[in-house]
Structure formats: C-alpha cells, structure tokens
C-alpha cells in the first residue's frame, strides 16, 4: 500500500503522534472498531526486510506504518530486529493516563548476535496492560467475552519504520523524547558495563 492507494484529501499528510498511533489507530484495531481513515494495513513484518516495505505498508515521506501481530521472533530474510533499550510509556496529553508503550528496534544484516548494524529503525507501539480494562459492574458473560476479546486482540502492535540518516538533524517534524535520543545514540548495548 503506497501513496497512490491512500485516499486522503489533497494537501493532507499522515504524520501521527505517538499518542494518536496508540489511541486512534491501535486501540480501535484491537477493539475491532472502524478507523477513519483506514490507511494502515495489516502486515506480517518478519518475512520482510525494511527496504522491502515500500508498496506493502502505508508510506508517508520516509516512514512506513503497518499493523502486525506481536511476536518474539523478529528475524527476516536477510537479518533481524534487535531491541534497543527499554520500553517507553506513552501518556495521553489530555488525561495524563498511560495509554501505551513504545519500544525501539535496530535492524541488523546477518545472523542474530553476529549481524552488521544498519540505519533502519523500528518503533513498535503496543497497548499498555491497563488501557483496555473492563468495568467490574458488567455482567459475567459480557465480562468474560471482553476478557476473551482482550486476550485475543491485545497482541496487535502498530509499527513505524524508517531509515535514519547520519547527516540529517532529524528535521522531519518528528519530536524525540530524551529517552529516544539516548537510545538512538547508543552504538551497541553490549559495550555498556554497569558498576558492580
């Protein structure tokens, strides 16, 4: 799904914030609610290398967006996605409540633990465990149905993939938090040693 397939009005661009990705898109996807505009496709990420996403994922500028099922295996045809740092909470600007979590991954070419680091970055967003809680006053059958639905659909994630340019000053309009800056500046987590 590329720019040609997206039916946004002329002049509109797709630059969602972290909160919008989680609340407007991912939460609605997990709850089986319609989303307008319905522009983010479902994609099983892991057979694809990041440079193969064009034409398969929603693209805006140099970023690709897609829904995927959350999985432990992040191995593609030519490499793997290595986690970078810890998960970062995403809070609602209006209520201040935690609505989701964001984790960074870096793409490596080659076999796991032996690959060569690339400039490809993935931000994987998931719902926080308390963002879809059910009301205790609902009937037991409705509560049971909601719990089953939550278990079944809580595995959805929405991903933003992009290639970071070393010579760019991140002038694409995306704001990075302090933690984002620290995580992206780390070369290799294996080189960090903690004091005893």
């Amino acid at each position: 799904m590329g720019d040609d397939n997206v039916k946004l009005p002329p002049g509109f661009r797709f630059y969602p914030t972290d909160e919008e990705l989680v609340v407007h898109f991912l939460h609605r996807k997990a709850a089986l609610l319609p989303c307008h505009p319905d522009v983010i496709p479902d994609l099983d990420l892991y057979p694809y290398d990041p440079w193969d996403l064009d034409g398969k994922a929603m693209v805006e500028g140099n970023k690709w967006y897609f829904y995927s099922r959350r999985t432990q295996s992040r191995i593609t045809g030519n490499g793997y996605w290595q986690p970078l740092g810890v998960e970062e909470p995403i809070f609602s600007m209006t209520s201040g409540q935690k609505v989701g979590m964001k984790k960074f991954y870096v793409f490596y070419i080659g076999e796991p633990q032996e690959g060569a680091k690339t400039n490809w970055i993935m931000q994987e967003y998931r719902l926080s465990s308390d963002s879809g809680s059910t009301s205790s006053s609902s009937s037991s059958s409705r509560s049971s149905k909601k719990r089953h639905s939550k278990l079944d659909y809580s595995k959805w994630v929405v991903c933003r993939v992009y290639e970071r340019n070393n010579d760019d000053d991140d002038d694409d309009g995306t704001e990075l938090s302090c933690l984002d800056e620290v995580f992206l500046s780390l070369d290799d987590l294996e080189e960090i040693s903690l004091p005893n």
Side-chain angles (χ1 to χ4, degrees):
M1 178 176 200
D3 273 337
D4 297 335
N5 296 334
V6 176
K7 302 298 182 207
L8 295 176
F12 281 80
R13 300 292 179 255
F14 189 74
Y15 290 109
T17 64
D18 291 351
E19 179 184 358
E20 289 168 340
L21 277 175
V22 171
V23 174
H24 183 73
F25 292 97
L26 184 57
H27 180 67
R28 296 183 73 77
K29 173 75 170 173
L32 297 175
L33 296 171
C35 186
H36 302 290
D38 187 12
V39 294
I40 302 177
D42 294 353
L43 182 67
D44 185 11
L45 167 68
Y46 305 106
Y48 301 108
D49 295 315
W51 50 85
D52 292 332
L53 290 174
D54 204 24
K56 296 174 181 65
M58 161 61 179
V59 64
E60 180 65 52
N62 66 343
K63 293 180 173 68
W64 289 264
Y65 298 87
F66 55 90
Y67 295 112
S68 188
R69 290 289 189 163
R70 191 167 184 217
T71 179
Q72 296 301 316
S73 173
R74 291 181 175 84
I75 298 172
T76 70
N78 292 311
Y80 60 97
W81 290 98
Q82 177 73 37
L84 181 63
V86 297
E87 283 188 307
E88 181 180 318
I90 298 167
F91 295 97
S92 168
M93 295 295 284
T94 55
S95 69
Q97 292 183 328
K98 183 170 71 171
V99 293
M101 300 295 287
K102 173 173 69 172
K103 187 158 183 82
F104 280 88
Y105 294 85
V106 176
F107 189 74
Y108 285 77
I109 296 175
E111 296 296 317
Q113 308 308 321
E114 300 173 11
K117 184 178 180 180
T118 69
N119 287 334
W120 286 97
I121 306 292
M122 177 172 62
Q123 297 170 343
E124 183 182 83
Y125 299 86
R126 69 173 180 85
L127 295 172
S128 64
S129 57
D130 55 344
S131 65
S133 60
T134 60
S135 167
S136 59
S137 63
S138 61
S139 70
S140 62
S141 64
R142 282 183 61 194
S143 178
S144 172
K145 183 186 269 188
K146 285 184 180 182
R147 273 197 305 268
H148 181 276
S149 175
K150 182 180 176 191
L151 289 174
D152 192 26
Y153 293 101
S154 66
K155 292 178 172 67
W156 283 107
V157 294
V158 65
C159 300
R160 176 190 285 147
V161 175
Y162 58 95
E163 187 173 21
R164 185 176 59 157
N165 263 336
N166 289 334
D167 52 299
D168 285 348
D169 291 329
D170 200 26
D171 193 20
D172 61 359
T174 303
E175 289 187 36
L176 297 177
S177 71
C178 294
L179 283 176
D180 295 343
E181 299 275 350
V182 169
F183 293 149
L184 291 175
S185 68
L186 298 175
D187 285 330
D188 287 309
L189 293 176
E190 295 82 39
E191 294 177 7
I192 298 175
S193 60
L194 299 174
N196 291 335

